[in-house]
Amino acid sequence: MAAFKGLNLCKALTPKICGPSARLFGNGTNPLYQTTPHAKFFPVSDGPMLLPGTFNNKVAFITGGGTGLGKAMTTTLSALGAECVIASRSLDVLQKTAEEITQQTGNKVHAVQCNIRDPASVEAAVTQTVNEVGLPDVVINNAAGNFISPSEKLSPNAWRTITDIVLNGTAYVTLDIGKRLIKAEKGAAFLAITTIYAESGTGFVVPSAAAKSGVEKLCTSLAAEWSRYGMRFNVIQPGPVKTKGAFSRLDPTGKFEETYLERIAVGRLGTPGEIANLAAYLCSDYASWVSGAIIRMDGGEYVNMAGEFNSLKHVSKEEWDKLEAMIRSTKGS
């Protein structure tokens, strides 16, 4: 890499992000440059893509459905005909979201209080769901918890808090509903929302990385074991999608927001609606042959970060000419 000494690759990136074609938006923290010039090739299209009525006469159970990605997925499924049940600890937030989506789509959304860290609470919430609307046809494990911290500062309680929500909570919901489905001889589509670092691992959110990885193994294992009962299990790994809840704990000062675009190949963040469309497809009958899949949806962030030489795309033409001359002058090596 000696040939690159003196080349300021970071400087080459700055006008691409901060130039006149960039757009700003904010969501409770400092504004973020949402697009780079080449993002025009990758426009957002996040209205429901499936046919109206795709989920008619189907019940969907969504954890963490009151806010963020959960709210977006609930909105899309409801717009496509599903009778949705959203579950989390904050009943006030759930009820407000349920009323909002019901008014928007015309399909009833139910709010059920549930602490997924507590098996008894999960059992009560699922029983309430079954009594009010029936066994779910769609189950989306979306509820999560996370915060940034050096691992040496983690207490046993901090570790337990995240793993109880992410891994144990997903297991409690999945096993409770799955056992009822088996007894009733009824199939269903299960979906879990994880993250790209469930695959790679990452520092500073180690409990989340470990728990999300466990969720993925739970889903792929059950995709093999419970297919005989008519159940499918799939996973979405979203890249950076700005939601207030997630970013308030992962980037509380807004300091790291601008670095996201440098990592994302298509030059923009994802939107909740884009994730919701993929979720709806995977939970629909159109995807009845998709099970055990882990789908990365991150605008090319993972592959862009993984490639050792990908940063060379910021080298200017003039710098490439210099490099070429240096390489051609090197002999015998």
Side-chain angles (χ1 to χ4, degrees), residues 116-197:
I116 63 171
R117 299 167 61 185
D118 178 7
S121 180
V122 170
E123 181 181 7
V126 176
T127 297
Q128 181 180 344
T129 297
V130 172
N131 290 340
E132 291 183 3
V133 297
L135 276 168
D137 303 276
V138 171
V139 180
I140 299 181
N141 282 297
N142 167 72
N146 200 5
F147 58 87
I148 53 172
S149 173
S151 295
E152 63 269 25
K153 289 182 174 291
L154 289 172
S155 66
N157 185 60
W159 177 273
R160 187 166 51 249
T161 296
I162 301 305
T163 55
D164 273 355
I165 296 171
V166 176
L167 179 55
N168 293 339
T170 297
Y172 297 151
V173 170
T174 300
L175 293 173
D176 188 290
I177 295 176
K179 291 173 184 178
R180 297 178 195 235
L181 290 167
I182 292 170
K183 185 176 181 180
E185 298 184 349
K186 175 182 171 67
F190 286 75
L191 178 68
I193 307 301
T194 62
T195 175
I196 60 172
Y197 61 70

